[in-house]
């Protein structure tokens, strides 16, 4: 065992001390001396340097790492001897795509100072830089400049942190230059600092250090042209044009305003039907605040956290009754003439639209007016990468020009970006980011990131969808696969019962267990059994895959699963949360193999009353893997008299009783008709491609599984809450505010004279039952779909963060609820398994590793936030995938059949002044039908003629809107009597759904492939024609039965909208290098008056290697006088700061401890220890 301890002779020179004062909660003041032990053996890692090679610190296993930076780095005109790059934090933040590019940016020195700052600013970007550092081919070297004596910089009194960091970068660059000159003489490469900060560049010049802006640097590269497209806009440009947007309030004015209640903070959401209308929900107002027009939204992008000022009451108005599309409104706008200050903030068309809006405001009744507001500040941008298309109106050629990227997401404004490769980008799916939105530019400025490939190619569209919903889809790296059992698919439950795997497990292999799932399900989370007991009661078991047995806390696989949060189901692709070896094999409760499980076993009376519930880890042997349909058949088959079938019949009977009880308690039945894609891959050659799209049938056996999963989830929730009162991971569904239902209530009242009672979930459930139209059986479902959209979203939470009455799950009418039944595909369930295992004092395999996070409220809250975000995105991605599939199937069908699409039933969901939203039941999708797409022709015309007439403007349509009656009459100009067609809310209509032919004017600015899907209407009492542009399909099939309510569409829609992308927390990779303090001075140099605090030392241990295995730090300090150990959390970010923190009774004891520690830790991994003394 090699000790890390090194001697540096004169120790004082190696100690950097920082003294700071902090005030304690008690009101006392504490003086802290932080000492850092500096070293001279941190390598420059250049292959040109022999000095460092012989002197460099060895890593934990005694190996000196190979130098990273090339002997012959890239040469350019300006740097004939080659160069190493030193980027600053801002360059990492804005230029990450360039740094990752394979054509440039090799031999890069990442300074510790810069990396630390990056970690605070953006965790995802930090992770991307770390993977560059780890990958060998790009030659990124992480230089611990703060620990090396010559490059350490102490902040001066009057210096800002920023200035200090800039100085630190210059100092490191300067040291590198001198150091390499000594090593390589004339051949020494140039050290080039890249910074967009002009002031920093100026200072560098004075100090004789090469410094360039990112744009300057890239311009000097050989293949500059296509790389320049990727340089962020606005970084090195001064605002120069006319200031068309108002300035934001100063930070202090915002803070004062928020405190005084004059200003309000919330998330800005753009309406999907009107890009000029946004809303911000704030606690002070019942109704969301309306933000109308560009000037009021003042450069905020949907998802941003903004600060708003409410306008005076005379400016309040009703939400828009008009569909307004950005691409239709500003169709021929060129990106070239835009920007740099030319033109007004709103275009002529927008002005007109807004004026009409204002008019309608005046005759809006006072009761329906909504408060309006304007944005005066942006607290947090939610900018991310956006997928879209380059506006085809841009000219060709390879000169540099400015074009618009039209994002797929209609709520995001067009992004202005410069490119030299327009020709290559048109017709492609393109990824871009927003860099800035200055006051002199109508649209945000951004830059090109990459092209995903041709529009409507499966690869490009799938990747686009995953990127848009932030789904992590890259294959699992080796570090994660290494966490899997080495036996691979050959792993089996050990036959020898003395095997440690059997400790704490019950042998339930004799039970007649079976699973019931959707057809083709491979990742089987749950299985069930039931049998009658001698006393006449029933024993029912729900057996859930024992995933935590294979996924140990805090290892690489666990970290990845935390981050992914959930498995994402697309039509023809599943993006797993866990490697498939576990998901579809070792954990999957397949029939005819033994599997580890976590079982919940109840004794129920024949009336389905719970007598008792038990939990145990188990080994089960499933007898059958049924599909819902097969299970239904078996139950219905009178000739089947075996014990397994008898058990299933018990289950079915009990489930009906359970369901009746839930309904009586007020559970809502909000299930919407779900669409299922039967066999996406195999739509046969001759048949109808649309044949795969099926409405999901609901069988009794669906409900059977659902009831017992709900029961298991509720039972487990109660148990873990009793053991973890502060940190149980639960799921709640908040009661929606009554005002959410105001519109729907009014609509039902006026259109059907029906009452919606929203006083409780029970009242709502009962009144929904009464919403029946005998003529239209689908009416009731339609109302349920609309009611669901009025609700808030269900969410995971940590029990300590809400008062107990708020635990309630409104939709399920349950006082407490959690997710336990799907650990293969939901991370929440995996954590709940760990909590339950702890709660029942499970002492078998894996229990020795305790996940400390289970008892850390801050950590758990962060995990919940990520899970909620991932869960929502997974649902959206799944729906978008079905949407895309339906569009493609329609297109294929039309190509094959040569017809004009299919005629389907449609239902009017919403009526606007200039169109309507129609729900198409067959496909579970809804779309907008615009005025111009109403078919008014008395005789039957072909779609093509109709279209041509419309496009050539031969038919001018007008409409009459009756807001009070939710009705719209459309007619040819001047011919209301002869051509008028009237539609109203909830009406059933026939629609023709077709795929739009290519090449039309609409092709321009097309955002989604599916928008080319056309909706034609030809039926009584109205004939009309429409075009789908904005498809929001309603629901998708897979997902859980146990949660059908939560999977219904709109619950996800209405929730928070916290698009926090600096998430999720990952364990800091082992960035520390071999290092230990040389000496801790025996006598404190500064003394406080406070005796209690005197002589205490704190030890910060970064990347404590055993922590990953759940070891308690304390056991390394046996015999030492420890006051406490903890993992500190940054209160601002709520994230663990990456240090362990040990407090010792005395300074000398800390020294002894460190000596002991360095001896122990060296075997495992590199550790950096920093000691702080309170003196
Ligand atoms: Zn060196």
């Amino acid at each position: 065992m090699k000790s890390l301890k090194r001697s540096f002779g004169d120790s004082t020179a190696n100690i950097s001390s920082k003294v700071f004062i902090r005030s304690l909660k008690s009101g006392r003041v504490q003086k802290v001396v932080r000492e850092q032990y500096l070293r001279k053996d941190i390598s420059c890692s250049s292959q040109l340097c022999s000095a460092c090679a012989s002197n460099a610190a060895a890593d934990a296993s005694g190996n000196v790492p190979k130098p990273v930076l090339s002997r012959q780095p890239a040469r350019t005109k300006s740097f004939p001897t080659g160069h190493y790059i030193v980027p600053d934090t801002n360059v990492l933040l804005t230029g990450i795509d360039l740094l990752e590019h394979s054509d440039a940016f090799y031999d890069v020195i990442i300074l510790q100072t810069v990396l630390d700052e990056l970690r605070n600013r953006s965790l995802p970007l930090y992770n991307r830089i770390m993977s560059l550092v780890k990958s060998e081919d790009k030659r990124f070297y992480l230089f611990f400049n703060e620990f090396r004596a010559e490059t350490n910089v102490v902040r001066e009194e009057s210096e800002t942190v920023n200035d200090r960091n800039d100085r630190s970068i210059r100092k490191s660059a300067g040291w590198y230059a001198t150091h390499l000159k000594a090593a390589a003489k004339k051949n020494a490469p140039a050290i080039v600092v890249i910074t967009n900060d002009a002031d920093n560049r100026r200072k560098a010049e004075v100090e004789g250090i090469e410094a360039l802006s990112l744009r300057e640097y890239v311009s000097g590269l050989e293949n500059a042209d296509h790389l320049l497209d990727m340089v962020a806009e606005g970084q090195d440009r001064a605002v120069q044009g006319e200031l068309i947007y108002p300035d934001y309030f100063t930070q202090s004015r915002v803070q004062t305003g928020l405190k005084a209640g004059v200003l309000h903070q919330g998330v800005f959401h753009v309406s999907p039907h009107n890009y000029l209308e946004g809303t911000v929900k704030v606690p002070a107002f019942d109704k969301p605040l309306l933000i109308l027009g560009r000037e009021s939204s003042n450069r905020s992008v949907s998802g941003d956290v903004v600060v708003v000022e409410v306008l005076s009451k005379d400016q309040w108005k009703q939400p828009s009754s008009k569909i307004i599309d950005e691409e239709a409104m500003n169709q021929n706008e060129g990106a070239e003439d835009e920007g740099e200050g030319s033109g007004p903030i709103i275009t002529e068309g927008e002005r007109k639209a807004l004026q009409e809006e204002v008019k309608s405001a005046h005759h809006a009744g006072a009761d329906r007016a909504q408060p309006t507001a304007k944005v005066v500040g942006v607290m947090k941008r939610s900018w991310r990468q956006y997928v879209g298309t380059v506006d085809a109106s841009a000219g060709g050629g390879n000169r540099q020009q400015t074009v618009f990227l039209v994002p797929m997401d209609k709520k995001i404004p067009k992004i202005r970006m410069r490119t030299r490769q327009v020709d290559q980008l048109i017709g492609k799916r393109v990824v871009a980011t927003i860099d800035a939105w200055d006051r002199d530019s109508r649209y945000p400025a951004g830059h090109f990131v990459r092209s995903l490939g041709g529009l409507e190619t499966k690869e490009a569209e799938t990747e686009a969808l995953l990127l848009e919903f932030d789904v992590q889809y890259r294959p699992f790296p080796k570090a994660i696969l290494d966490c899997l059992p080495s036996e691979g698919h050959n792993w089996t439950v050990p036959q020898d019962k003395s095997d440690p795997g059997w400790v704490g497990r019950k042998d339930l292999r004799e039970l007649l267990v079976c699973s019931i799932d959707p057809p083709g399900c491979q990742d089987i989370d749950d299985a069930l059994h039931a049998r009658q007991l001698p006393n006449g009661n029933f024993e029912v078991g729900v057996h859930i895959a024992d995933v935590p047995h294979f996924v140990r806390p805090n290892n690489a696989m666990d970290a990845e699963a935390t981050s992914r949060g959930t498995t994402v189901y697309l039509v023809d692709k599943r993006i797993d949360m866990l490697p498939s070896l576990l998901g579809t094999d070792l954990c999957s409760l397949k029939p005819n193999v033994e599997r580890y499980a976590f079982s919940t076993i109840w004794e129920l009376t024949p009336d389905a009353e719970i007598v008792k519930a038990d939990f145990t880890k188990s080994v089960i042997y499933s007898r059958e893997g049924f599909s819902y349909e097969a299970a239904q058949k078996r139950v219905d088959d009178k000739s089947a008299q075996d014990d397994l079938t008898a058990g299933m019949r018990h289950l079915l009977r009990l489930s009906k009783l359970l369901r009746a009880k839930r309904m009586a308690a007020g559970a809502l039945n909000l299930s919407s008709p779900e669409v299922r894609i039967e066999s996406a891959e195999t739509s046969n050659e001759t048949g109808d491609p649309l044949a795969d799209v099926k409405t999901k049938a609901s069988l009794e056996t669906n409900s059977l599984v659902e009831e017992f999963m709900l029961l298991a989830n509720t039972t487990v929730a109660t148990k873990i809450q009793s053991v973890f009162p502060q940190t149980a991971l639960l799921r709640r569904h908040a009661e929606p505010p009554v005002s959410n239902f105001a519109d729907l209530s009014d609509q039902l009242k006026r259109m059907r004279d029906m009452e919606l009672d929203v006083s409780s979930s029970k009242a709502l459930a009962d009144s929904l039952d009464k919403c029946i139209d005998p003529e239209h059986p689908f009416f009731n479902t339609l109302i349920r779909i609309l009611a669901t959209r009025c609700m808030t979203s269900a969410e995971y939470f940590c029990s300590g963060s809400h008062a107990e009455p708020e635990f309630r799950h409104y939709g399920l009418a349950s006082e407490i609820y959690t997710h336990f039944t799907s650990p293969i595909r939901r991370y929440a369930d995996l954590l709940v398994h760990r909590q339950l295992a702890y709660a029942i004092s499970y002492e078998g395999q894996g229990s020795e590793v305790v996940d400390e996070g289970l008892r850390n409220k801050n950590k758990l809250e962060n995990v919940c936030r990520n899970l909620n975000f991932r869960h929502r995105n997974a649902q959206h991605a799944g729906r978008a995938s079905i949407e895309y599939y339906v569009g493609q199937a329609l297109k294929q069908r039309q190509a094959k059949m040569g017809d004009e699409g299919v005629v389907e039933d449609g239902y009017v969901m919403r009526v606007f002044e200039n169109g309507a939203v129609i729900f198409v039941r067959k496909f579970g999708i809804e779309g907008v039908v615009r005025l111009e797409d109403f078919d008014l022709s008395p005789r039957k015309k072909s779609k093509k003629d109709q279209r041509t007439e419309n496009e050539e403007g031969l038919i001018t349509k007008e409409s009459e809107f009756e807001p009070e009656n939710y009705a719209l009459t459309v007619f040819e100009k001047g011919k209301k009597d002869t051509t008028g067609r009237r539609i109203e809310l909830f009406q059933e209509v026939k629609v023709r759904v077709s795929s739009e032919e290519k090449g039309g004017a609409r092709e321009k600015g097309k955002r989604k492939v599916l928008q080319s899907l056309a909706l034609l209407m030809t039926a009584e009492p109205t004939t009309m024609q429409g075009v789908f542009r904005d498809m929001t399909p309603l629901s998708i099939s897979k997902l859980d039965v146990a949660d059908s309510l939560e999977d219904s569409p709109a619950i996800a829609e209405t929730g928070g909208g916290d698009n926090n992308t600096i998430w999720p927390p990952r364990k800091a990779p082992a960035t520390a290098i071999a290092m230990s303090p040389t000496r801790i001075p025996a006598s404190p140099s500064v003394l406080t008056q406070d005796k209690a605090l005197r002589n205490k030392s704190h030890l910060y241990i970064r990347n404590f290697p055993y922590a990953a295995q759940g070891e308690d730090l304390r056991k390394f300090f046996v015999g030492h006088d420890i006051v406490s150990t903890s993992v500190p959390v940054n209160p601002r970010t709520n994230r663990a700061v990456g240090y362990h923190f040990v407090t010792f009774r005395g300074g000398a004891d800390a020294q002894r401890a460190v000596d002991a520690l360095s001896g122990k830790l060296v075997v495992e991994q590199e550790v950096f220890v920093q000691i702080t003394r309170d003196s």
Side-chain angles (χ1 to χ4, degrees), residues 386-417:
Y386 301 97
V387 184
T389 46
V390 168
D391 187 345
S393 65
N398 274 350
R399 68 192 170 88
Q400 173 172 322
Q401 55 186 309
T402 306
V403 297
F404 280 128
L405 179 102
V406 185
M408 284 167 82
D409 185 344
K410 296 186 92 171
K411 303 192 288 299
I412 305 300
K414 295 193 276 195
I415 301 166
R416 200 158 45 79
M417 61 182 203

Side-chain angles (χ1 to χ4, degrees), residues 729-734 792-798 802 806-807 809 817 864 868 871-872 1046 1051 1055-1056:
L729 197 167
L730 302 176
R731 189 164 173 83
R732 67 193 278 270
H733 182 211
T792 52
S793 49
E795 60 176 15
Y796 296 110
F797 71 103
C798 169
H802 284 280
E806 293 170 23
F807 289 4
H809 196 297
Y817 191 64
C864 288
N868 290 329
H871 195 84
R872 207 152 49 218
E1046 299 176 10
I1051 291 192

Side-chain angles (χ1 to χ4, degrees), residues 375-483:
V375 173
V376 297
V378 175
M379 299 301 268
K380 196 172 138 228
R381 291 292 191 185
S382 69
W383 295 350
R384 53 179 174 90
Q385 294 193 334
Y386 301 97
V387 184
T389 46
V390 168
D391 187 345
S393 65
N398 274 350
R399 68 192 170 88
Q400 173 172 322
Q401 55 186 309
T402 306
V403 297
F404 280 128
L405 179 102
V406 185
M408 284 167 82
D409 185 344
K410 296 186 92 171
K411 303 192 288 299
I412 305 300
K414 295 193 276 195
I415 301 166
R416 200 158 45 79
M417 61 182 203
R418 282 194 268 177
T419 178
R420 286 162 187 76
Q421 40 178 346
V422 177
D423 286 347
Q424 290 96 293
L425 295 184
I426 287 178
K428 299 276 165 58
R429 276 273 168 249
V430 172
V431 184
T433 62
I434 298 182
D435 299 319
W437 197 346
D438 292 327
R439 290 176 61 201
D440 62 347
S441 166
R442 186 186 302 146
Y443 296 102
H447 70 271
F448 166 80
V449 176
R450 66 196 170 100
S451 164
L452 302 178
L455 272 175
E456 296 199 41
T457 56
K458 193 169 149 191
E459 294 70 29
E461 297 299 344
T462 305
E463 197 177 354
L465 199 147
L466 296 172
L467 282 170
E468 272 298 289
F469 295 104
D470 200 7
V471 177
Q472 295 160 51
Y473 58 94
R474 301 200 189 281
F476 291 103
K478 184 169 177 299
I480 290 169
L481 299 178
D482 283 347
C483 302

Side-chain angles (χ1 to χ4, degrees), residues 1000-1011:
R1002 287 197 182 83
E1003 190 67 359
K1004 249 189 238 172
K1006 192 167 93 172
R1007 295 186 185 225
K1008 282 188 190 173
V1009 169
L1010 221 83
Q1011 280 148 18

Side-chain angles (χ1 to χ4, degrees), residues 861-931:
E861 279 176 343
N862 278 334
V863 170
C864 288
R865 201 170 306 149
N866 178 53
L867 293 180
N868 290 329
F869 171 68
R870 298 291 176 200
H871 195 84
R872 207 152 49 218
N873 275 3
Q875 290 176 319
H876 291 198
R879 267 172 238 144
S881 166
I882 290 193
E883 204 177 284
Y884 176 68
Y885 181 84
V886 171
Q888 290 297 301
L890 270 165
K891 203 175 133 189
Q892 284 166 26
R893 190 198 131 97
Q894 270 171 272
K896 212 170 276 175
M897 318 257 173
D899 64 9
E900 296 178 354
V902 290
V903 176
E904 295 294 342
D905 290 337
Y907 303 86
V908 181
M909 280 195 127
R910 196 163 166 191
V911 182
F912 290 97
E913 271 177 60
N914 57 344
V917 177
I918 310 289
F919 174 65
V920 183
R921 183 184 176 183
K922 164 91 190 261
F923 305 129
I925 49 182
E926 68 189 74
V928 172
V929 179
R930 263 151 257 267
L931 215 56

Side-chain angles (χ1 to χ4, degrees), residues 1021-1035:
T1022 307
T1023 307
M1024 48 187 192
Q1025 175 183 357
V1027 174
F1028 260 135
R1029 276 186 204 227
D1030 173 37
M1031 308 279 291
T1032 322
L1034 279 175
S1035 125

Side-chain angles (χ1 to χ4, degrees), residues 44 49 52 179:
C44 70
C49 173
C52 285
H179 179 80

